[in-house]
Amino acid sequence: MNQLNEPKMVIGSEEWCAFSSLNIPAVKARIDSGAKTSSLHAINIQYFSRNGEQWTSFEVHPLQDNRKITVHCEAQIIDHRVVKSSSGDKEKRPVIRASLALGEKSWVVELTLTDRDSMGYRMLLGREAMNGRILVDPEGHCLLGDRLQNDLASLYKAPEMRTGGLKIGLLASNPDLYSNRRIIEAAEARGHEIQFLNIKNCYMKLDATTPEIHYRGGRILNDLDAVIPRIRPSKTFYACTLLRQFESLGIYCLNTSTAIAQSRDKLRSLQLLLDNGLDIPTTGFANSPLDTGDLIDMVGGAPLIIKLLEGTQGTGVVLAETRKAADSVINAFKSLNANILVQEFIKESSGKDLRCFVVDGKVVASIQRTAAAGEFRANIHQGGRAELVKITPEEKRIAIKAAKAMDLKVAGVDLIRSNKGPLLLEVNSSPGLQGIETATNEDIAVRMIMAIERQLMKPKEA
C-alpha cells in the first residue's frame, strides 16, 4: 500500500511499464486519467481451469507495429467486466491482476485484456491504478526514461527463425490493407519469406517447355512455394488467370482459381450450395423484365432483397419494402443490362447475420454482425457492428460444409438465423480479417499460414 504522506510520482502522458509476472519487461502505456480501468493488449485469449480456479492464457505483442515479438502469458481471472470504449462500443473483457513496475516503484494493478492492435498504444493506464500514487504532467513524455531500440532488442531477443522456411507470394492489390499487412506479419513471424505481389504488375509467359510468371522489372516468380490470393471482385478474371499459371507450375495456391471463380459467381455458388444439401433463402433469377411479376411472387412477394450478381461488401444490395418498389428497382437494373437475383427477406433475422471464418476445414472464429440503425445490411463496410458469438454445432457444420462445397481452404461463410433454421447467404473467398480478429482476439492470419505449412511441410516418411 502507498503511504498517504509518500510523495506522488510525476509521470508524462506516456511511459514505459513492465510486468514481471507476465514476462513483459517493457511496454509503452498511454496514461489516461479519464479512463477508469487499465487495459493490456492481448490476442488468442483462451480459458482453462487450474486448481478449481479460472485462468486465461493469451499472447501479447508488447511493441507497437511489431508482431514478430510475441510473449505467451498466463494469469488467473478475477472478474469479467463490460467496458465502454470512447466510440461507445461495449465489450466484455476478462480482468487479471499483475505487478506493475513504473520507474523505481511497483504495485499490483488490475488489467482488462483486449486486442489493442488498432490503437496507438499496447497498454492504457487508467486512474484506478494511479490513485494516491501518481500525478500526470500531460505535456511530458517518458519522464521516467525512454527505451531505445537497442534496449528493446536486448530485452526482447528476436525469435529464432525456423529452418526450411517457405517462399510465399501474397497476390493482392493493396499492401496497406489490414488483412494483407497481417498475413505478411504472420508469415514472417513463422520464419517464412513472403513478398507482396500486386496483381496488375504480374504477367505470364505461355510456353510448352518453359512457362513462366514475371513481375514488373522481369523478375521470375517460378520459385515460389505457395501463393495466398486476396482478390478484389474487379480483378477476378485476370487474377484467376494468374493463379491457373501458378497452379500449372506446381505452386500451391491456398485458394485455387476454380474455387475463387465459382465463389464470385453468385448464381453458380448458390446452385452449388443447394446441390450439397445446404439451405438458402428462396431465390429467383430471370433474364427478362417481362418476368418481373412472377419473379417477385416466387420469393414470397414484398418485402424482398434485390442483389447485383457483381456486388460485394453489401454494395448492390437493395431492400424493396413494397411490390411497387421491387418492380421499379428490378426493371431499373434490367434496363442497365445488370444481372440480379431476388431473394426472400428474412424478417426475423432483425438485421443480423453470422460470419464464420473457415480455414482448412475448421471454423477458427465466428462473429455476429449487426446492421447500423436504419440499415438492413450487416456488412462491416456498411457500418455494421461485429461482436463475438457462440455458434451452434449445426451452424458450424453448415459453415464447414459450405466451404468444402466451394472447395475453398479459406472462406468467410455468411449465415442468418431464421424460423426455418440457419440459412446460407454467401461464401466469400477473400474474407477480411480486421473485424473478426478485433472482435474475437483470434490470430486468423497465423491460421492461414499454418494451413500452408500443413500442406507443404509435412514430416518426411522414414
Side-chain angles (χ1 to χ4, degrees):
M1 291 291 290
N2 187 50
Q3 300 298 320
L4 292 178
N5 59 355
E6 184 177 340
K8 294 182 180 179
M9 178 169 43
V10 179
I11 65 174
S13 61
E14 58 181 32
E15 295 288 350
W16 286 95
C17 306
F19 295 94
S20 58
S21 62
L22 300 177
N23 297 317
I24 298 175
V27 58
K28 184 181 281 189
R30 177 192 171 202
I31 311 303
D32 187 358
S33 58
K36 179 181 179 182
T37 311
S38 302
S39 68
L40 179 67
H41 170 75
I43 60 171
N44 293 335
I45 298 174
Q46 305 290 332
Y47 301 101
F48 64 96
S49 294
R50 178 175 289 169
N51 299 325
E53 296 172 327
Q54 188 178 29
W55 280 61
T56 179
S57 63
F58 54 96
E59 295 177 352
V60 177
H61 300 304
L63 304 182
Q64 195 69 28
D65 299 322
N66 186 335
R67 283 180 169 264
K68 293 183 180 180
I69 295 175
T70 303
V71 179
H72 300 271
C73 307
E74 290 186 353
Q76 183 181 346
I77 294 176
I78 63 167
D79 196 7
H80 286 87
R81 292 179 194 158
V82 175
V83 178
K84 188 175 182 179
S85 70
S86 57
S87 61
D89 293 330
K90 294 182 179 179
E91 178 189 20
K92 190 174 183 180
R93 303 177 184 173
V95 183
I96 66 170
R97 285 195 182 103
S99 179
L100 164 71
L102 190 59
E104 297 180 354
K105 298 182 179 180
S106 64
W107 64 97
V108 174
V109 299
E110 293 185 357
L111 300 165
T112 66
L113 303 179
T114 188
D115 187 346
R116 297 181 55 84
D117 190 61
S118 60
M119 304 178 194
Y121 295 83
R122 296 302 200 197
M123 181 185 163
L124 183 145
L125 190 67
R127 62 178 180 272
E128 278 189 340
M130 298 188 284
N131 285 343
R133 301 176 182 274
I134 287 173
L135 292 175
V136 181
D137 176 0
E139 294 182 342
H141 297 275
C142 300
L143 299 182
L144 302 179
D146 205 350
R147 292 282 192 179
L148 301 177
Q149 287 299 321
N150 289 341
D151 297 332
L152 295 172
S154 62
L155 289 172
Y156 293 109
K157 292 182 180 179
E160 293 184 4
M161 302 292 276
R162 298 182 308 151
T163 58
L166 301 170
K167 293 190 69 173
I168 301 172
L170 175 58
L171 187 66
S173 299
N174 184 352
D176 296 323
L177 285 181
Y178 174 94
S179 299
N180 295 335
R181 287 191 289 107
R182 285 287 299 109
I183 291 169
I184 291 171
E185 291 167 356
E188 290 177 343
R190 294 186 67 81
H192 304 298
E193 177 186 337
I194 185 166
Q195 50 191 306
F196 182 86
L197 304 175
N198 196 313
I199 293 169
K200 68 180 182 181
N201 294 339
C202 296
Y203 50 101
M204 67 195 83
K205 173 188 175 185
L206 303 178
D207 183 82
T209 55
T210 57
E212 295 172 343
I213 291 189
H214 290 229
Y215 199 68
R216 179 167 290 177
R219 180 158 53 96
I220 299 176
L221 303 177
N222 290 31
D223 62 342
L224 291 176
D225 296 302
V227 171
I228 302 173
R230 301 283 305 175
I231 299 170
R232 291 177 175 175
S234 61
K235 303 292 185 182
T236 300
F237 174 77
Y238 187 62
C240 284
T241 302
L242 291 170
L243 287 175
R244 282 193 289 272
Q245 185 81 345
F246 280 120
E247 291 162 0
S248 70
L249 293 168
I251 297 169
Y252 177 70
C253 296
L254 187 55
N255 276 339
T256 67
S257 58
T258 301
I260 292 171
Q262 65 190 13
S263 74
R264 288 286 162 81
D265 183 337
K266 289 187 179 180
L267 185 60
R268 175 60 180 144
S269 64
L270 292 176
Q271 291 171 325
L272 276 171
L273 295 173
L274 289 170
D275 288 345
N276 282 270
L278 295 162
D279 291 331
I280 65 171
T282 301
T283 302
F285 175 77
N287 186 55
S288 169
L290 297 176
D291 302 312
T292 298
D294 195 30
L295 201 61
I296 294 172
D297 290 336
M298 73 170 57
V299 299
L304 56 84
I305 303 294
I306 303 166
K307 294 183 178 181
L308 281 173
L309 288 185
E310 292 80 16
T312 183
Q313 295 178 342
T315 60
V317 181
V318 178
L319 170 62
E321 299 193 40
T322 66
R323 187 180 186 92
K324 184 176 181 180
D327 189 71
S328 297
V329 172
I330 292 171
N331 287 321
F333 278 139
K334 288 295 183 183
S335 70
L336 299 173
N337 294 317
N339 291 314
I340 62 168
L341 296 172
V342 298
Q343 205 164 62
E344 70 170 315
F345 177 59
I346 308 299
K347 183 178 180 180
E348 61 268 24
S349 68
S350 303
K352 298 179 180 179
D353 69 16
L354 304 176
R355 162 59 63 92
C356 303
F357 208 108
V358 180
V359 178
D360 209 9
K362 294 182 179 180
V363 176
V364 298
S366 54
I367 54 173
Q368 179 173 268
R369 303 183 298 187
T370 303
E375 177 62 73
F376 73 96
R377 296 166 296 181
N379 305 71
I380 303 300
H381 287 83
Q382 300 299 327
R385 174 171 51 85
E387 58 187 347
L388 183 65
V389 68
K390 184 176 181 179
I391 61 173
T392 67
E394 175 66 5
E395 289 163 346
K396 183 179 291 188
R397 183 193 69 81
I398 290 172
I400 293 171
K401 190 173 181 181
K404 185 177 181 180
M406 305 299 295
D407 199 25
L408 290 168
K409 288 285 188 179
V410 174
V413 181
D414 297 339
L415 306 94
I416 52 174
R417 290 168 170 168
S418 76
N419 294 334
K420 297 181 287 187
L423 298 176
L424 271 164
L425 292 179
E426 189 174 6
V427 182
N428 191 320
S429 57
S430 295
L433 304 187
Q434 186 168 11
I436 198 162
E437 283 198 339
T438 301
T440 65
N441 288 321
E442 290 288 342
D443 195 336
I444 296 174
V446 163
R447 301 291 192 107
M448 295 171 64
I449 301 302
M450 291 173 66
I452 296 175
E453 292 171 354
R454 283 191 292 271
Q455 182 69 29
L456 300 181
M457 301 179 71
K458 295 177 181 177
K460 296 180 179 179
E461 296 181 1

